[in-house]
């Protein structure tokens, strides 16, 4: 029997990489909900909407269908979005538009519709608390800001992108603050989520730990 798995946590905690690995091992689909907020930020910038203009952004989303492929490509507004969604500027813009209640409502509805069939791993900030309150397995994946900044710096350098550790650390701290202090669905650990701190764990170790939790859960289901 397939279940749904919720993974929440701060930015750069490794949620996406962990969710990708789990999806591969379990033959599940990974839905990266952050990429949907990134797509909204991209569209707002493309059409010149101010990032706090909830009315305009929500009206636009209402008349613009959005489809997410199992490989993560987002089809919207005549474009296929993937790599375009991962720059520093778009990360901060996504954090801003994700604070808008109307944007959240539209994205949550879409995420619930996609995952209704089960067999999904959703990663984000409000999955265990709002989107999939009834997910069979909930993980809160975190790591110290320093460990996350170090990982992001290494990843960027490996991709040939700018890798200034101090700057990346400050951005992570700023996004943590925005994501945990916003009025609507701030990032927090669901009461029934299992806390996994990946500061001193490798990706493989985190994946093994979560697979054990899934096995425990599915054996009793
Ligand atoms: O996971 P990410 O860094 O790609 O997410 C981009 C932004 O979207 C992040 O600042 C928080 C927001 N977000 C959210 O509010 N709710 C989600 N379920 C996923 C992401």
């Amino acid at each position: 029997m397939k279940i749904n798995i919720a993974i929440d946590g701060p930015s750069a905690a490794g949620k996406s990489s962990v969710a990708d690995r789990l999806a591969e091992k379990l033959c599940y689909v990974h839905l990266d909900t952050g990429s949907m907020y990134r797509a909204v930020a991209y569209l707002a910038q493309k059409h010149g909407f101010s990032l706090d203009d909830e009315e305009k952004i929500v009206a636009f989303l209402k008349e613009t269908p959005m489809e997410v492929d199992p490989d993560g490509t987002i089809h919207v507004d005549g474009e296929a979005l993937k790599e375009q969604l991962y720059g520093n500027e778009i990360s901060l813009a996504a954090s801003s538009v994700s604070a808008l209640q109307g944007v959240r409502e539209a994205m949550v509805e879409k995420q619930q519709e996609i995952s209704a069939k089960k067999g999904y791993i959703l990663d984000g900030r409000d999955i265990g608390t709002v989107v999939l309150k009834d997910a069979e397995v909930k993980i809160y994946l975190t790591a110290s800001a320093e460990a996350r900044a170090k990982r992001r710096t290494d990843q960027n350098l490996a991709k040939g992108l700018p890798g200034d550790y101090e700057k990346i650390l400050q951005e992570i701290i700023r996004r943590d603050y925005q994501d945990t202090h916003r009025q609507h669905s701030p990032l927090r650990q669901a009461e029934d989520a299992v806390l996994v701190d990946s500061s001193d764990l490798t990706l493989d170790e985190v994946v093994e730990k979560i697979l054990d939790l899934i096995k425990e859960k599915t054996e009793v289901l």
Side-chain angles (χ1 to χ4, degrees):
M1 190 191 74
K2 293 211 167 183
I3 62 168
N4 275 336
I5 300 163
I7 306 182
D8 289 301
S11 48
K15 300 185 298 295
S16 254
S17 314
V18 168
D20 270 343
R21 282 281 183 96
L22 289 171
E24 204 180 302
K25 290 203 182 245
L26 299 167
C27 291
Y28 275 30
V29 178
H30 168 209
L31 177 64
D32 173 356
T33 63
S35 69
M36 297 170 69
Y37 291 96
R38 288 171 181 271
V40 175
Y42 176 93
L43 294 171
Q45 288 181 331
K46 174 177 164 186
H47 291 280
F49 305 145
S50 161
L51 294 175
D52 58 3
D53 193 339
E54 180 163 7
E55 209 174 307
K56 271 206 186 128
I57 298 175
V58 171
F60 181 80
L61 290 177
K62 284 220 164 91
E63 61 192 36
T64 311
M66 184 187 279
E67 297 298 331
V68 189
D69 278 351
D71 81 348
T73 307
I74 300 186
H75 298 273
V76 66
D77 199 28
E79 297 201 55
L81 302 174
K82 202 167 182 193
E83 280 79 20
Q84 304 91 313
L85 302 178
Y86 290 89
N88 268 344
E89 202 195 327
I90 212 100
S91 300
L92 282 172
S95 182
S96 298
V97 296
S98 73
L100 306 174
Q101 171 75 347
V103 169
R104 301 205 68 80
E105 280 168 11
M107 293 302 109
V108 168
E109 193 184 327
K110 187 97 222 153
Q111 291 154 14
Q112 289 174 334
E113 194 185 295
I114 295 173
S115 56
K117 295 181 294 291
K118 301 267 182 175
Y120 280 81
I121 304 168
L122 268 64
D123 83 284
R125 306 292 189 290
D126 59 342
I127 310 302
T129 51
V130 178
V131 182
L132 297 179
K133 276 199 189 125
D134 58 353
E136 289 82 353
V137 173
K138 294 185 186 178
I139 307 294
Y140 191 82
L141 182 62
T142 189
S144 68
E146 290 74 16
R148 288 182 281 135
K150 163 111 185 37
R151 272 186 222 150
R152 188 49 55 91
T153 307
D154 293 345
Q155 279 168 2
N156 282 6
L157 290 173
K159 284 191 218 155
L161 296 169
D164 177 341
Y165 170 83
E166 270 311 318
K167 194 163 169 231
I168 291 174
L169 177 62
Q170 291 317 314
E171 272 164 17
I172 283 181
I173 292 171
R174 179 163 160 208
R175 279 221 283 158
D176 282 357
Y177 186 86
Q178 281 189 21
D179 294 343
T180 52
H181 286 77
R182 67 181 179 217
Q183 190 189 352
H184 307 293
S185 314
L187 169 65
R188 66 176 178 84
Q189 183 179 343
E191 273 167 26
D192 50 351
V194 178
L195 177 72
V196 176
D197 187 327
S198 72
S199 304
D200 299 315
L201 299 176
T202 63
L203 175 60
D204 284 341
E205 287 168 335
V206 174
V207 170
E208 280 312 311
K209 211 177 167 102
I210 298 177
L211 278 174
D212 285 345
L213 291 167
I214 295 169
K215 269 186 218 138
E216 260 172 47
K217 255 291 177 352
T218 45
E219 267 165 22
V220 296
L221 286 174

